[in-house]
Amino acid sequence: MSGDISLSARFPAVNVATGAILTLIQVVAPSASRIVVKQIGVTFNSDSNTDEPYQIQLLRQSGAGTSSAGSLYKTNTDDSAAQQTTSRIAFTAEPTAQDILNNWYVHPQANLIWEPPFDTPLIVAASGRIGIRILTPVVQANSSTGYIIIGE
């Protein structure tokens, strides 16, 4: 992890079914270096103040489940280094959950933006995987979108 390049992995709007557990996005570190998570964000599109909160988890995962390749974008277009990190989106089968690093309840009219504490960086080991997973209430469905910003 040199931190020479900053990347944003975004996931498109996902319709989240009621009572679902769904990985929204997974970022995979390069095989020869680790990455640092700089920020995550998740938002919803509810228009009802009586909707129940969603549970959002930031967790280490193993395997890709069944998913599609995502895209990463340089947050600074002047970064000349080639990016090596990859991302996965559109999960139809869940990857295996490992450590749940953080857990939040977020009302679907709100959003979540989280950064690790300044003196405690969140490091993902070489070839490691980190994901954002949502656990939905059984009585409602909304759509969600968001991102992970990492340093490589």
Side-chain angles (χ1 to χ4, degrees):
M1 175 194 71
S2 64
D4 291 339
I5 184 172
S6 182
L7 301 169
S8 176
R10 301 186 181 276
F11 59 92
V14 176
N15 290 322
V16 183
T18 60
I21 297 173
L22 178 66
T23 295
L24 301 172
I25 190 166
Q26 181 187 78
V27 173
V28 184
S31 61
S33 63
R34 56 191 193 163
I35 59 174
V36 61
V37 175
K38 294 181 174 183
Q39 185 180 81
I40 70 164
V42 179
T43 190
F44 303 94
N45 73 338
S46 175
D47 60 0
S48 174
N49 63 357
T50 59
D51 280 352
E52 294 181 33
Y54 287 82
Q55 186 177 3
I56 306 295
Q57 295 177 334
L58 179 65
L59 70 161
R60 289 191 181 97
Q61 297 174 311
S62 61
T66 304
S67 56
S68 301
S71 299
L72 288 104
Y73 305 94
K74 292 181 179 180
T75 59
N76 179 354
T77 56
D78 288 338
D79 285 340
S80 60
Q83 70 187 47
Q84 300 175 29
T85 303
T86 60
S87 69
R88 309 294 302 171
I89 58 172
F91 287 83
T92 56
E94 283 295 296
T96 301
Q98 292 181 317
D99 304 321
I100 297 173
L101 304 171
N102 275 310
N103 196 42
W104 302 271
Y105 286 95
V106 180
H107 190 275
Q109 285 186 309
N111 59 39
L112 166 71
I113 297 175
W114 177 82
E115 295 177 345
F118 179 74
D119 61 344
T120 312
L122 177 51
I123 305 296
V124 180
S127 300
R129 297 170 183 267
I130 193 158
I132 299 174
R133 184 168 77 171
I134 186 170
L135 291 76
T136 65
V138 294
V139 296
Q140 71 206 26
N142 288 297
S143 65
S144 176
T145 188
Y147 63 90
I148 299 179
I149 297 176
I150 60 104
E152 178 178 278

